[in-house]
Amino acid sequence: MFARMVRQFLSHIKYILIFAPGREFIFPWEIIESSQFDSLERLHLTLSEKANKPPEGFHLPAGLKEVYISRMRYDAPEISSTSVTSLAIAAFCSPNTFTYLNHNLWPTITSISVPASAINWSGECFKYLQTITLVHERGNKWDYGTQLCRDLATHVNHMPLLQEIHFSDPPEWDILCILLDRYNFRTGVGSTRISSISFGGDVPLFLQDLIKGLCAGKFIDRPSNFELSWISSMDIIQDRNLPGCMECLKRLLPCQMPWSAGADSVTRDGDPLSDYCLDILMDMPLEDAAADPVEFRLRKLFVPIYPETDDKVLETWEVREEAWQTWKQKVRGNICSRFARHVRIDEGDVVVWSPSHPTSFFPLGEV
């Protein structure tokens, strides 16, 4: 009698929330996997790295549509579902071993919200995916948003139904525009356009109409890739008489923050970085800079040559990103106190707003 009542109760549950952060927790994976949850539609998990891992080959219940995971282990065995259409992973625990999210185990996904580093965007991906939301990864300095744009622009047919991208931080504009040019003007049966983009940060005014036009599928006479790249700001970046923080200069935004030394902008002897040192390093082969004891800490400071073709711009992006990671620490202050607004651009409008709380920018369904 009691067992029958339990089965009847489980068969009517539509939403399960399990909250167990920061402590050891024996999670009942076998119950979740059982076929007794006939009506389960939404699953919300918050698990720490101390929680037990799901068993190998763990399958979520058939009929489940939305999964929200507040924290997930990088080393968790692969979980699969043949019915989930919306997957959101807010953060990962500190990884012991790193593995990409396996798209083959989530074949029906149409909307995904994840830290960008969790997915190999250059490989075969989610063929039914319509919406991508990138979650900000605290302490991660690599520009995964731009990497996503680069990988999608290189493999425009991997996700043929993509329509929306929500960035936690604005990507580099040259790579984004190449993506929109390639993706929105490709040909093929059932091809869609990326018609809506959100940014967790300001967009230069001169770019807003450009991006709106590209989202609408219009051929736009746009600035050159070089003009849209942070490399075009090098004259300002190197001039200590001109204002601007590194992040604004990378995004081509006006910035009145007075020049301030970067966190690493000193020589081996503790002296401030001089314009003379910059000139030397811009023209000095890297092996010579490495051998110079005075510039020991600055041997990787260099300006990559900006290529002319779209293919080469995409191919050499990682070289520029590695250079940027060095420049922003060594040359001037990294970020100002700019009041960050959020911007959504689609084929019909540009909306700028400030969220009342951090989670209001990228809502993850109703979970």
Side-chain angles (χ1 to χ4, degrees), residues 131-263:
T131 302
I132 297 174
T133 298
L134 300 185
V135 178
H136 179 72
E137 297 177 82
R138 183 174 299 177
N140 202 331
K141 298 178 181 179
W142 191 258
D143 189 350
Y144 283 105
T146 300
Q147 181 171 321
L148 165 66
C149 293
R150 189 276 308 272
D151 292 343
L152 290 180
T154 306
H155 308 282
V156 293
N157 294 316
H158 279 188
M159 286 182 278
L161 302 180
L162 188 61
Q163 299 176 43
E164 297 182 26
I165 305 177
H166 305 285
F167 294 97
S168 56
D169 300 295
E172 293 182 37
W173 306 121
D174 53 342
I175 307 296
L176 174 65
C177 287
I178 292 175
L179 165 62
L180 294 176
D181 274 339
R182 290 190 169 191
Y183 193 93
N184 286 1
F185 297 104
R186 75 198 191 287
T187 58
V189 178
S191 295
T192 62
R193 292 196 314 271
I194 298 174
S195 57
S196 181
I197 307 178
S198 296
F199 306 95
D202 280 333
V203 177
L205 291 175
F206 79 93
L207 275 178
Q208 293 180 11
D209 285 339
L210 167 62
I211 295 174
K212 182 171 71 172
L214 291 173
C215 286
K218 298 178 180 178
F219 289 96
I220 304 293
D221 183 18
R222 65 176 179 84
S224 68
N225 291 332
F226 174 79
E227 292 174 296
L228 296 175
S229 167
W230 66 269
I231 298 291
S232 66
S233 299
M234 285 308 304
D235 288 344
I236 301 176
I237 290 174
Q238 297 175 76
D239 192 339
R240 288 195 285 175
N241 295 314
L242 297 176
C245 72
M246 289 297 280
E247 287 303 314
C248 286
L249 291 174
K250 185 177 186 181
R251 310 304 179 194
L252 309 184
L253 293 165
C255 180
Q256 296 305 313
M257 176 181 174
W259 181 92
S260 61

Side-chain angles (χ1 to χ4, degrees), residues 23 76 83 103 136 165 174 206 210 265 275 281 289 301 304 329 355:
R23 60 177 178 269
S83 62
H103 67 92
H136 179 72
I165 305 177
D174 53 342
F206 79 93
L210 167 62
S265 58
D275 295 333
L281 285 170
L301 195 62
Q329 294 296 323

Side-chain angles (χ1 to χ4, degrees), residues 315-364:
E315 181 182 323
T316 59
W317 169 75
E318 287 184 352
V319 174
R320 293 190 299 280
E321 175 64 9
E322 289 172 357
W324 173 259
Q325 295 300 328
T326 303
W327 274 91
K328 74 177 184 179
Q329 294 296 323
K330 296 182 181 298
V331 182
R332 60 167 67 210
N334 186 26
I335 190 167
C336 67
S337 57
R338 164 186 291 273
F339 179 70
R341 300 176 301 174
H342 295 315
V343 181
R344 187 185 74 242
I345 301 177
D346 58 35
E347 53 188 299
D349 205 0
V350 177
V351 179
V352 181
W353 81 99
S354 173
S356 57
H357 53 85
T359 57
S360 67
F361 179 39
F362 297 133
L364 304 174

Side-chain angles (χ1 to χ4, degrees), residues 18-25 46-50 71:
I18 297 179
F19 184 75
R23 60 177 178 269
E24 294 185 7
F25 179 73
T46 298
L47 302 173
S48 75
E49 56 189 3
K50 296 181 180 179
R71 293 181 66 81

